[in-house]
Amino acid sequence: AITVRASWATDMPCEATSGALGGASTFGIFRNFPGAPYANTWFSSPLANTLSGNDLDPANPEIIARFNLKLGTTGCLQNSSWYYGLDTNHVSGQINLVNVLLHEFSHGLGFQTFTNTHSTGAQIQGFPSVFDRFLYDNTTNKNWTEMTDAERLSSAINAGNLVWSGPQVAIDATTLTAGKDSLGRPRMFSPNPVRAGSSVAHWDSALSPNQLMEPNFTAGLTHSVIAPQDLTFSLLSDIGWCVSNCPPVQSPSPTPSPAPASPYVITGQIKDTQNNPLLDVQITFDVEMQGLLFSKFTQTDGAGAYSSGDLGCATSVRIKLSKAGYTFTPAGMLLLGGNQCLSGTFTANFTAS
């Protein structure tokens, strides 16, 4: 089973004529787990669970999703409204919620890169995501796994020249009438300048017919995610999702040994040098648990506070922080439990300058 922690949100970016409809991501990422088809490669939590046949993180959901509760109010897409029907009979000005759910949940299933595409081009701990393995740049003639950080950063803004090279998409993309390269490979969204949260992790807006996983809500979408109507599941198939004869996922997974005395949670607050809370700091927790390495992500809220959620039987956790234009004191933190599970609540506060 895939657990999704979904909620309505009132703090999503929004203006009178434009704004975020929702947002979702995998809760954690894993590599080198039993059944992984590629070594040293990050997979989203739900995909890693499916490939391994076990729930690798039973204490937490697989996907975190938020949707814009303020849509249709003054100052927030004020001429629009949500359409809650389970069909496609929405009219002009209505946003079909099912389409938005399918779009965001697809990100959580793995339609996303974990590479820093907005400032460094770096991959987490130097390892690519499975998504990166199928990103190909027609200018450099390189796959993202073959590039330097600087080359990936340039590729992320190489508009019209970043394409998807996966075999299933190649078969199904014959239905496209626009938005492909000379070999029939669909273009990825890579505008210059980069658009944080949208670049690379979507199809290019030039694709026709319109696709569910384009960066903006488009007309003419059905609720299908399969070819010939849509290429969403074609891409998910390329990264490892199976159609039939999939291994069963056992839940919960065997009790870790040694078992923690209590959940392990890291909380804290990040402020600037004037003691003001700093919003939207990206926080990464690199966790080691029973020899398994994975990462979780969160960000600071309106009070500059954050929480890791339960990190399970973690024997080590490395905390990393990122926000464009800022450095942090301390720069990060490494917490070690030796051969024992860390437990309890640990407070780690940081100052940004």
Side-chain angles (χ1 to χ4, degrees):
I2 296 174
T3 302
V4 179
R5 182 183 295 165
S7 60
W8 290 107
T10 59
D11 60 347
M12 305 194 79
C14 202
E15 298 177 357
T17 58
S18 64
L21 303 178
S25 178
T26 178
F27 190 80
I29 60 175
F30 297 82
R31 61 181 172 89
N32 295 338
F33 50 85
Y38 301 101
N40 299 322
T41 301
W42 295 112
F43 291 79
S44 66
S45 178
L47 181 53
N49 287 350
T50 299
L51 293 170
S52 69
N54 283 287
D55 188 341
L56 300 173
D57 184 18
N60 291 296
E62 282 69 53
I63 297 173
I64 297 292
R66 302 165 75 237
F67 301 94
N68 195 340
L69 184 62
K70 294 179 67 177
L71 185 145
T73 62
T74 302
C76 180
L77 292 165
Q78 57 195 34
N79 294 321
S80 301
S81 63
W82 286 114
Y83 178 74
Y84 298 106
L86 301 180
D87 49 48
T88 56
N89 296 331
H90 55 284
V91 299
S92 178
Q94 291 184 317
I95 306 296
N96 191 297
L97 180 60
V98 172
N99 284 137
V100 178
L101 293 172
L102 290 171
H103 178 108
E104 298 303 342
F105 292 164
S106 295
H107 282 312
L109 292 172
F111 203 119
Q112 61 181 149
T113 179
F114 308 126
T115 297
N116 182 320
T117 58
H118 62 276
S119 61
T120 67
Q123 297 168 326
I124 295 176
Q125 296 180 356
F127 299 109
S129 68
V130 65
F131 192 89
D132 294 354
R133 289 185 171 274
F134 299 100
L135 294 172
Y136 187 85
D137 191 292
N138 280 328
T139 300
T140 61
N141 293 317
K142 288 183 179 181
N143 182 281
W144 269 32
T145 59
E146 302 170 314
M147 293 182 181
T148 64
D149 291 354
E151 287 175 324
R152 277 188 294 272
L153 196 62
S154 294
S155 182
I157 55 173
N158 193 9
N161 293 298
L162 180 64
V163 298
W164 184 263
S165 64
Q168 190 60 52
V169 166
I171 294 170
D172 296 335
T174 56
T175 59
L176 294 178
T177 58
K180 301 184 288 185
D181 69 3
S182 61
L183 297 179
R185 297 176 295 195
R187 287 158 48 178
M188 306 304 292
F189 187 61
S190 53
N192 186 4
V194 69
R195 281 179 52 182
S198 294
S199 289
V200 182
H202 293 91
W203 298 123
D204 194 279
S205 302
L207 268 65
S208 182
N210 287 332
Q211 297 292 304
L212 175 71
M213 297 307 292
E214 291 182 26
N216 299 311
F217 185 79
T218 52
L221 295 177
T222 69
H223 289 170
S224 175
V225 296
I226 60 175
Q229 292 86 2
D230 194 80
L231 296 176
T232 301
F233 193 72
S234 304
L235 183 147
L236 294 177
S237 297
D238 281 338
I239 65 172
W241 284 102
C242 56
V243 178
S244 60
N245 301 318
C246 304
V249 177
Q250 303 173 11
S251 181
S253 55
T255 302
S257 179
S262 63
Y264 184 58
V265 178
I266 300 172
T267 63
Q269 192 174 34
I270 302 175
K271 296 183 178 181
D272 63 19
T273 54
Q274 304 301 314
N275 207 37
N276 299 310
L278 191 62
L279 317 186
D280 300 327
V281 178
Q282 178 75 35
I283 305 165
T284 303
F285 304 95
D286 293 332
V287 182
E288 182 172 2
M289 180 172 61
Q290 290 185 280
L292 186 70
L293 299 173
F294 64 97
S295 293
K296 291 184 176 180
F297 309 93
T298 189
Q299 61 184 21
T300 51
D301 60 18
Y306 71 89
S307 174
S308 67
D310 185 8
L311 296 175
C313 184
T315 54
S316 74
V317 180
R318 184 180 296 276
I319 307 172
K320 297 185 294 187
L321 303 97
S322 175
K323 184 176 175 69
Y326 289 89
T327 58
F328 298 91
T329 305
M333 195 171 292
L334 177 62
L335 307 172
L336 299 173
N339 295 322
Q340 301 298 315
C341 299
L342 296 160
S343 63
T345 299
F346 182 83
T347 301
N349 296 320
F350 299 86
T351 300
S353 59

